Amino acid sequence: MAGAAAGGLALAALPGLGGRSAEAAGLLTDRTAGAASAVANQGKSVTIALSAEPNTFDPHLTVGRNTQIFIANVFDGLTARDASANILPALATEWGFLGDGASWQFKLRSGVTFHNGDPFNAESAKFTIERAIDPATKSTISSELATIAGVDVVDASTIVVRTKQPDIMIPNRLSELYGGMLSPTHTMATDAAMLATKPNGTGPFMLTEWVKNERLVLQANPNYWRGPASISQITVRPILEDAARIAALQTGEVDFVANVPYERIAELEANPNLTVKTIATPRVFFIGIDPRVTPFNDVRVRQALNYAVDVDAIISALYLGHATRLATAVPTAAFGYDASVTPYPYDPPKAKELLAAAGYPNGFSVEFDSFTGSIADHSKPAEAIVEYLRQVGIDVKLNVFEFGAFGPRRVANQLSPLHIYSLGNAYFEPAWAIKWMMQQNLGLFYRNEEVYALCNQAEATFDPSARVPLYARVQQLLKDDAGFIFLFQNDAVFAMNKKVSYDPRADETQWLYPLTSA
Amino acid sequence: MTGYVVQRLLLALLVIWGVSIITFFLTFLSGDPAVLMLPPDATAERVAQFRREWGFDRPLIVQYGSFLLRAVQGDLGTSLRHGTPALPLIAERLPATFQLTLTAMVLAILLAIPLGVLSATQRGKIVDLLAMAVALLGQAVPNFWLAIMAILFFAVTLGWLPTSGRGTWLHVVMPAGVLATGLMALLTRITRSSMLEILSEDYVRTARAKGLPGWAVLTRHALRNALIPLVTVIGLQFGYILGGAVVVETVFTWPGVGLFTIQAITNRDYPVVQAAVLILSTAVVTINLLVDLLYGLLDPRIRVRG
């Protein structure tokens, strides 16, 4: 139910503006945790190892989640999230939907400065958002802000974001992933190479050194508006190879590592000097079914597929238990997640019965596309699923592509009737992900009109509490109509020595501000 | 000699041009950068727009033409991922790669020559058998496996060396050692067989007969001549060392061109892949050219035939 509380507060003032800020309600606990112990930890330094380094520190040219979840340490968005993915104020102190149907007003924090001393104000916010959507920027994230038409400055600390259509997700979209704020004077006066490597944000850390593929050095911003971070210097080492990264933790070269493979968890947990922490990511795995192809136009066949696959066994065998079974495409941390909608049980006789009822007592033949070489492993779960489908009599031919070859097939709508895919729902708003999964493009051709209409309704419902029942209905319908084989969301695993303390976050962000060291 | 040099130079240029063609078209067979550069929920229109922005919608031959035209002017394109020119991105990683490969080559040569000579002089004895077994193993074991074993043993278990990265001289020991293994094994075997051949030459017997001490016969007469084929092999092996560096740099996160190229391949950063392959192959071709010329200087028979 993440997002409910804070969203509710921020939006309470509908239809006008002036809602209480979530800050006043004491929701900033984990955000301010760092500042509380800041004095005690001044001068402390920590070394961490990640599996990748950012491609750039220009927030509008970021490629891939690995970059976006990291540069949040240098830039602030208008909003932020806590570790459970609730939306919190950041550079905006409060916000609300204006009654005209297509604009959001944000009140901006005053007294905030960029690392170089430039003031943050309404002009900075307008400049940043308009730069992100300007085609001349060739922004890689423009599609995330595509509903925005423009920004108006009301006064020095107030902006209005105009949208092309009503969009409840504007505060989500302008959080740290895609809403990192830039200084207009600095950005316009600086060339592209400098913007990529010498960022100037308002965030808790300043990038003071970047030796590519070797290390990034972050220094705590002494003037940070939340108070300086606990750790005054963080050295970040990108160590691509899992074995080398974990070895670096074991030898004490680094204090903290991300992306621990599941099969290494038991060994690291047995080490008395180390702590392992896991968290469910918002990455949801599913099997796309093309309902334009017989027999998948028959709901009984689609349900049979769901009954046929023992997802729990896949989770325990392939993920060693480090994944969470899902009934639909809505991850547990998403707003409006309904635990009362339970997943299909593993029931092969029931699957065969449904197949027979649909006129396929002896099954049928179908092709299934999977791929390797992407952010997560999709080919191993695909192999297991294929085996389960064969056991109920469906003759499945599995095609495994390299992701670079799978992608163009997907874009050209040349995928087989079954394909595996996953989606990291960065917004934790179900309507966004579900409508994406029903887009009638990119190999996704299932659409349930009732669900789609409910999602549209949710997207036009600015009172979060009123969206909850809509989403409950959506999840029940999604499950019953079985437009996909619903699978699971996987865990992210972090390991650290006992000296440091860090709680991983549901949104995958490597937000280092609350990191502390003994 | 001038005709020989010119002929070799033209041949080198032809090879580099061939490499540019192969690299350019092969990268396009490997997949679509738009799919990887844009977020997964990017619309089909956005994908088309991306292709237009970067010129990927033009016919391949036109794209190659413009690539070649810019390449001869020193512009190898702009990295899709980093948004900056590819050439400086690679240039700033070249020193790390040269440090690693040269250290590995020196290490391999320093170990292989004494071992090969020892083997040859102790032919058939236990030292020879042991040295040949090590050489065989060194050539058979894959780098990536050896690298991970080395990390586990020297860094995790013994705690003598850092696990990865670049910084002090200690950092270079493991990656260079792993990279040197294959070359060392090969050079040991070549030194041994070349020494054996020369030790049975008439002039060696003559040197012995006129009463020169054993070490002087070995170093002054035998080894000096045995080193000539070694020069060629070392030159030719430079390409293999660079290939091995790609793997070793990745395992040890050694911030060189190999690691960068692997990342570029994974990210379908075409301009970087094309630039990196072109630069590395130019380096290999140049070294081979130098070896050819050097060989000609060392052994006059070559340039006469050339």
Side-chain angles (χ1 to χ4, degrees):
Chain A
M1 289 297 289
L9 280 168
L11 293 161
L14 279 170
L17 190 72
R20 282 193 301 144
S21 82
E23 195 171 22
L27 274 166
L28 281 177
T29 44
D30 81 312
R31 286 280 174 173
T32 47
S37 49
V39 180
N41 278 308
Q42 275 306 316
K44 292 224 155 58
S45 62
V46 165
T47 303
I48 71 173
L50 305 178
S51 58
E53 70 179 359
N55 70 306
T56 177
F57 276 86
D58 183 333
H60 300 155
L61 300 178
T62 58
V63 175
R65 194 60 53 80
N66 276 327
T67 298
Q68 289 141 8
I69 61 180
F70 184 75
I71 68 167
N73 291 297
V74 176
F75 296 97
D76 287 308
L78 292 186
T79 65
R81 290 182 185 279
D82 66 10
S84 317
N86 298 297
I87 288 221
L88 301 176
L91 290 183
T93 50
E94 52 191 274
W95 52 88
F97 183 68
L98 295 181
D100 65 355
S103 41
W104 284 83
Q105 182 163 311
F106 288 84
K107 284 276 181 198
L108 306 179
R109 191 174 297 276
S110 53
V112 175
T113 54
F114 288 92
H115 296 157
N116 73 344
D118 289 351
F120 167 76
N121 53 32
E123 285 300 334
S124 327
K126 175 182 166 70
F127 169 81
T128 305
I129 297 169
E130 292 189 342
R131 179 178 186 263
I133 58 176
D134 181 355
T137 310
K138 290 190 183 178
S139 167
T140 49
I141 59 152
S142 60
S143 54
E144 306 295 335
L145 304 175
T147 55
I148 297 176
V151 179
D152 298 323
V153 170
V154 176
D155 59 48
S157 62
T158 312
I159 58 162
V160 167
V161 176
R162 283 177 282 111
T163 57
K164 295 169 187 163
Q165 72 241 24
D167 184 359
I168 51 168
M169 293 207 311
I170 291 297
N172 306 40
R173 295 183 191 279
L174 294 173
S175 77
E176 58 250 294
L177 278 190
Y178 305 115
M181 288 292 140
L182 300 168
S183 156
T185 44
H186 175 266
T187 308
M188 285 187 290
T190 310
D191 68 41
M194 290 290 277
L195 289 176
T197 53
K198 303 232 178 339
N200 178 34
T202 63
F205 293 98
M206 305 179 291
L207 181 69
T208 52
E209 189 188 6
W210 185 6
V211 185
K212 296 273 176 68
N213 293 118
E214 212 173 313
R215 65 179 179 276
L216 298 112
V217 180
L218 299 172
Q219 296 282 353
N221 173 3
N223 305 314
Y224 191 46
W225 56 270
R226 286 184 175 111
S230 300
I231 309 290
S232 46
Q233 178 173 305
I234 298 179
T235 303
V236 182
R237 286 182 51 191
I239 306 182
L240 282 69
E241 186 69 28
D242 291 339
R245 193 166 60 253
I246 289 166
L249 177 72
Q250 290 171 320
T251 60
E253 275 172 58
V254 304
D255 303 301
F256 172 99
V257 295
N259 285 17
V260 175
Y262 303 123
E263 62 272 17
R264 299 297 297 271
I265 293 176
E267 171 198 351
L268 297 181
E269 278 176 339
N271 185 329
N273 302 319
L274 303 178
T275 309
V276 177
K277 290 192 178 176
T278 64
I279 190 152
T281 68
R283 179 160 298 279
V284 174
F285 287 72
F286 59 88
I287 307 295
I289 303 174
D290 190 342
R292 300 171 306 172
V293 177
T294 45
F296 300 124
N297 50 355
D298 189 325
V299 63
R300 290 169 297 186
V301 173
R302 299 196 302 262
Q303 287 171 339
L305 299 181
N306 275 282
Y307 280 115
V309 180
D310 190 350
V311 179
D312 288 324
I314 292 175
I315 290 174
S316 86
L318 292 182
Y319 291 80
L320 307 177
H322 297 288
T324 308
R325 175 94 162 94
L326 292 175
T328 70
V330 180
T332 50
F335 176 77
Y337 170 75
D338 188 347
S340 73
V341 179
T342 53
Y344 283 93
Y346 175 51
D347 191 346
K350 176 87 177 164
K352 284 183 181 161
E353 192 184 300
L354 283 164
L355 286 175
Y360 299 93
N362 302 315
F364 51 87
S365 296
V366 66
E367 290 198 32
F368 182 130
D369 292 349
S370 83
F371 54 92
T372 59
S374 160
I375 183 166
D377 183 1
H378 291 76
S379 69
K380 280 212 253 1
E383 283 165 28
I385 290 161
V386 163
E387 218 33 63
Y388 280 116
L389 296 181
R390 283 181 185 147
Q391 283 173 18
V392 296
I394 303 171
D395 173 30
V396 187
K397 178 176 178 290
L398 180 66
N399 308 312
V400 183
F401 298 95
E402 214 283 322
F403 189 61
F406 179 88
R409 286 175 64 88
R410 179 174 157 266
V411 171
N413 290 319
Q414 290 166 343
L415 293 181
S416 296
L418 298 178
H419 78 276
I420 190 165
Y421 208 69
S422 71
L423 178 67
N425 184 346
Y427 298 123
F428 296 90
E429 186 71 40
W432 172 81
I434 293 165
K435 283 177 72 175
W436 181 84
M437 289 172 71
M438 295 186 183
Q439 62 177 294
Q440 307 297 297
N441 202 344
L442 304 180
L444 300 163
F445 291 98
Y446 168 76
R447 183 180 290 195
N448 178 309
E449 293 304 337
E450 190 180 352
V451 170
Y452 206 86
L454 282 166
C455 286
N456 280 337
Q457 194 186 334
E459 284 188 328
T461 303
F462 286 80
D463 172 9
S465 59
R467 293 208 293 276
V468 174
L470 299 177
Y471 282 144
R473 180 85 187 122
V474 160
Q475 287 166 77
Q476 189 62 53
L477 287 171
L478 266 182
K479 182 201 162 184
D480 293 345
D481 203 32
F484 303 84
I485 304 179
F486 298 111
L487 300 172
F488 45 77
Q489 57 186 128
N490 63 339
D491 285 354
V493 187
F494 301 83
M496 60 207 86
N497 64 31
K498 292 262 153 77
K499 200 177 92 184
V500 300
S501 161
Y502 180 78
D503 287 317
R505 300 158 52 85
D507 59 1
E508 301 180 274
T509 315
Q510 281 145 1
W511 169 253
L512 300 171
Y513 183 64
L515 185 76
T516 57
S517 173
Chain B
M1 184 72 186
T2 316
Y4 177 69
V5 172
V6 169
Q7 183 200 349
R8 288 277 136 178
L9 216 56
L10 287 177
L11 200 64
L13 280 177
L14 197 68
V15 169
I16 292 169
W17 182 51
V19 167
S20 84
I21 294 177
I22 295 171
T23 321
F24 189 87
F25 289 97
L26 276 187
T27 42
F28 276 91
L29 288 180
S30 75
D32 184 349
V35 173
L36 285 142
M37 301 300 290
L38 298 174
D41 56 322
T43 57
E45 293 81 53
R46 181 72 187 96
V47 172
Q49 187 196 342
F50 175 91
R51 293 213 180 95
R52 259 197 319 281
E53 282 169 4
W54 287 90
F56 290 131
D57 57 338
R58 297 172 300 164
L60 263 189
I61 192 77
V62 175
Q63 292 188 49
Y64 176 71
S66 95
F67 163 76
L68 198 64
L69 201 67
R70 284 185 287 109
V72 294
Q73 299 166 21
D75 173 8
L76 291 175
T78 300
S79 162
L80 302 178
R81 190 173 163 80
H82 300 268
T84 52
L87 194 57
L89 286 173
I90 293 162
E92 69 189 29
R93 288 165 174 84
L94 276 173
T97 295
F98 284 134
Q99 185 195 359
L100 177 65
T101 48
L102 292 180
T103 311
M105 291 187 94
V106 169
L107 204 63
I109 293 166
L110 288 184
L111 290 171
I113 293 178
L115 205 60
V117 171
L118 193 68
S119 238
T121 53
Q122 305 278 312
R123 186 181 186 181
K125 299 196 179 136
I126 187 82
V127 178
D128 181 30
L129 292 176
L130 269 177
M132 284 305 101
V134 169
L136 191 69
L137 208 65
Q139 276 191 285
V141 170
N143 273 345
F144 65 87
W145 182 83
L146 197 63
I148 289 173
M149 291 301 120
I151 291 174
L152 289 181
F153 188 67
F154 292 108
V156 179
T157 308
L158 297 177
W160 289 354
L161 296 168
T163 52
S164 60
R166 183 178 179 225
T168 66
W169 66 272
L170 281 174
H171 284 91
V172 81
V173 175
M174 261 200 295
V178 169
L179 191 54
T181 335
L183 182 63
M184 188 198 82
L186 178 70
L187 294 184
T188 306
R189 289 173 52 191
I190 289 172
T191 309
R192 176 180 177 272
S193 57
S194 167
M195 278 298 280
L196 283 176
E197 194 183 312
I198 284 162
L199 284 175
S200 63
E201 295 275 346
D202 289 347
Y203 62 84
V204 172
R205 203 174 47 223
T206 310
R208 282 218 181 95
K210 71 179 182 186
L212 275 181
W215 62 267
V217 175
L218 271 185
T219 52
R220 210 178 303 159
H221 295 271
L223 185 59
R224 191 179 283 183
N225 285 300
L227 286 184
I228 294 180
L230 219 58
V231 170
T232 319
V233 172
I234 291 169
L236 289 175
Q237 286 297 309
F238 182 69
Y240 289 95
I241 284 276
L242 272 182
V246 171
V247 174
V248 170
E249 285 184 3
T250 307
V251 179
F252 288 103
T253 318
W254 185 263
V257 184
L259 172 63
F260 190 57
T261 310
I262 285 289
Q263 289 174 310
I265 291 170
T266 317
N267 298 318
R268 299 290 178 305
D269 196 343
Y270 287 179
V272 170
V273 177
Q274 287 155 359
V277 174
L278 208 58
I279 288 169
L280 292 182
S281 50
T282 306
V284 171
V285 168
T286 309
I287 298 273
N288 286 352
L289 182 70
L290 289 177
V291 168
D292 271 2
L293 300 179
L294 186 67
Y295 205 46
L297 285 178
L298 289 177
D299 189 344
R301 286 170 299 178
I302 305 290
R303 60 174 180 264
V304 172
R305 256 184 266 141

